[in-house]
Amino acid sequence: MTYFQLFGISIPALWIAVLGTAFLISLKIDDWFGNALFIYVLVWKFSYVLFYWESILGLLYFNGGIKGHWLGLVSSAIYIILLAPKKYPSIKVQAGIVLLLYMYTFETIFNLLQRDFLFTIIQGGIACLILSLRKKLKLQWVILFFMIELLTLSLQHTLTLTKFFTFSMFIFISILFTIKERTNG
Amino acid sequence: MVKKITSIVILAIAIVLVAFAIANAMYKKEKPESTEQAADFTLEALDGTKISLSDFKGQKVVLNFWATWCPPCKAEMPHLQNFHENNENSDVKLLAVNLTASDSVSNAVDFVDAYELTFPVLLDVDGEVGQLYEVITIPTTYFIDEDGNIVEKFIGALDEETMENIIDSY
């Protein structure tokens, strides 16, 4: 099931998984996370005009697509790395685990929507494992869990280049904060 | 500490591998979801030729339903045109059915001229095909495979990238 018909239109399962995960995470995490998500969605949606400026009407219905995704991701990364830490000191402890957890929670919900229950359980199980280890998450573990995610996705044959680079970006930020946190004591 | 990391590594990898082994053993790849055959129809195109869906057996068909008074249809037309141009030499065919029963031929002609559309536009004068395909909200677009099975029914405006993604997925 790639699309769900809600409110009379087709909604990609991907969006439901992205937003569902964001909602769950935002319950426990400070505002920097919501802000970063907001920046991402805004850039992703409105970057449509950059690529299809000749048909402005489309802005109502369309988004920036894959190019908009990269622009949005880079924009929120800049926000998370450079701007947010000043206002939200808690980001230094939260960012590392949140991005790792985002990957696994997203995959859990996405597989659930695709009715692939086996991989829902695998991804959900590892998400719980990470959650239980959150107090002692060290650099090696962040990298390790990233590798395990890649292994899982390869076994399932769902590792696309887009997903690989998106998750790599998550892990890059995650590692950045894990190292910073350690050097700060 | 090292011991603990090791045990967690083993645990995590074990979860993945055991689950994968169980998966391999237990579920034989199910057939792709039950598919529905796209009903055949014959309609007259704007240029007067008769076109049937069955003319395109062996090709992937994108079957779009639209009307001139529908804003999202207007928004997606440049995308449909681009998609058509990019796939002209491949085995993908775009057919756009104008819901003429709730529109008019002259409106459709003006619209096609204004948007410089070059793909076939069929006229559903009696509204039968729209009813057959249960088109309630427009635009509605069906993606049909080489054997005439409906792979996806998409309701709402489609952009080029989404169309290409759906076409590539089957």
Side-chain angles (χ1 to χ4, degrees):
Chain A
M1 189 67 96
T2 327
Y3 294 95
F4 286 86
Q5 276 156 23
L6 296 173
F7 321 114
I9 48 164
S10 296
I11 311 263
L14 183 74
W15 295 1
I16 302 176
V18 166
L19 292 178
T21 308
F23 172 74
L24 286 180
I25 286 183
S26 65
L27 291 178
K28 284 277 173 200
I29 296 298
D30 296 332
D31 283 347
W32 65 265
F33 178 77
N35 294 347
L37 182 79
F38 185 66
I39 291 171
Y40 169 81
V41 172
L42 222 58
V43 172
W44 167 74
K45 175 74 187 164
F46 286 98
S47 58
Y48 174 83
V49 290
L50 297 178
F51 312 124
Y52 294 97
W53 53 271
E54 70 275 16
S55 56
I56 292 294
L57 177 66
L59 188 57
L60 273 173
Y61 308 99
F62 303 128
N63 52 65
I66 191 72
K67 289 181 228 158
H69 167 71
W70 296 123
L71 277 182
L73 213 57
V74 169
S75 312
S76 348
I78 292 172
Y79 169 78
I80 291 180
I81 296 170
L82 298 177
L83 302 173
K86 288 181 196 110
K87 199 163 170 219
Y88 304 97
S90 59
I91 196 173
K92 290 176 189 136
V93 253
Q94 292 179 346
I97 183 166
V98 159
L99 290 165
L100 195 60
L101 214 49
Y102 194 98
M103 249 169 30
Y104 279 98
T105 315
F106 164 79
E107 285 296 332
T108 308
I109 297 178
F110 192 59
N111 277 306
L112 187 66
L113 293 174
Q114 308 275 351
R115 309 221 182 95
D116 193 335
F117 298 118
L118 177 83
F119 279 94
T120 305
I121 294 168
I122 298 177
Q123 300 278 4
I126 299 178
C128 293
L129 190 64
I130 294 173
L131 206 58
S132 70
L133 292 170
R134 65 186 178 281
K135 292 258 152 53
K136 29 197 153 159
L137 209 71
K138 291 276 175 337
L139 178 65
Q140 295 90 320
W141 289 8
V142 173
I143 296 172
L144 173 77
F145 279 115
F146 178 49
M147 295 303 169
I148 292 177
E149 181 64 295
L150 294 185
L151 171 70
T152 315
L153 293 173
S154 320
L155 288 176
Q156 198 190 9
H157 302 292
T158 51
L159 185 62
T160 58
L161 271 185
T162 311
K163 205 182 255 185
F164 176 75
F165 285 118
T166 304
F167 285 173
S168 297
M169 195 130 152
F170 282 16
I171 289 306
F172 169 74
I173 298 173
S174 196
I175 289 174
L176 204 69
F177 278 102
T178 316
I179 294 172
K180 260 194 192 163
E181 176 62 11
R182 194 165 56 173
T183 46
N184 287 350
Chain B
M1 195 61 211
V2 174
K3 209 170 138 196
K4 216 167 176 189
I5 294 181
T6 319
S7 59
I8 284 167
V9 172
I10 293 171
L11 184 60
I13 295 178
I15 293 176
V16 175
L17 292 181
V18 167
F20 187 69
I22 295 172
N24 258 354
M26 274 175 54
Y27 79 2
K28 296 176 187 99
K29 267 276 175 221
E30 301 155 48
K31 282 247 172 240
E33 302 128 64
S34 59
T35 44
E36 199 186 334
Q37 192 78 21
D40 193 22
F41 59 82
T42 305
L43 286 175
E44 195 167 311
L46 263 186
D47 61 6
T49 52
K50 293 236 180 230
I51 293 181
S52 300
L53 182 63
S54 49
D55 298 343
F56 305 105
K57 267 267 158 77
Q59 286 184 290
K60 293 178 178 179
V61 178
V62 178
L63 183 64
N64 173 262
F65 291 88
W66 65 283
T68 57
W69 44 262
C70 137
C73 302
K74 289 179 191 163
E76 72 173 356
M77 279 305 160
H79 289 270
L80 294 190
Q81 179 60 27
N82 278 346
F83 177 82
H84 170 67
E85 285 169 17
N86 293 338
N87 288 289
E88 222 153 4
N89 301 317
S90 67
D91 266 353
V92 180
K93 188 77 187 170
L94 171 63
L95 298 176
V97 177
N98 175 264
L99 299 177
T100 321
S102 52
D103 204 343
S104 79
V105 177
S106 62
N107 280 349
V109 171
D110 293 344
F111 188 94
V112 166
D113 285 344
Y115 284 89
E116 296 173 0
L117 308 179
T118 57
F119 48 83
V121 172
L122 313 182
L123 301 170
D124 186 15
V125 181
D126 305 324
E128 276 172 8
V129 177
Q131 223 163 49
L132 190 64
Y133 278 83
E134 294 167 350
V135 176
I136 298 161
T137 320
I138 49 172
T140 292
T141 308
Y142 283 88
F143 290 81
I144 299 165
D145 72 6
E146 293 89 340
D147 304 321
N149 298 311
I150 296 170
V151 178
E152 191 77 62
K153 177 187 183 183
F154 190 100
I155 305 172
L158 267 169
D159 61 10
E160 220 182 310
E161 194 177 299
T162 311
M163 295 176 81
E164 296 286 359
N165 284 344
I166 298 176
I167 281 289
D168 287 343
S169 73
Y170 68 92

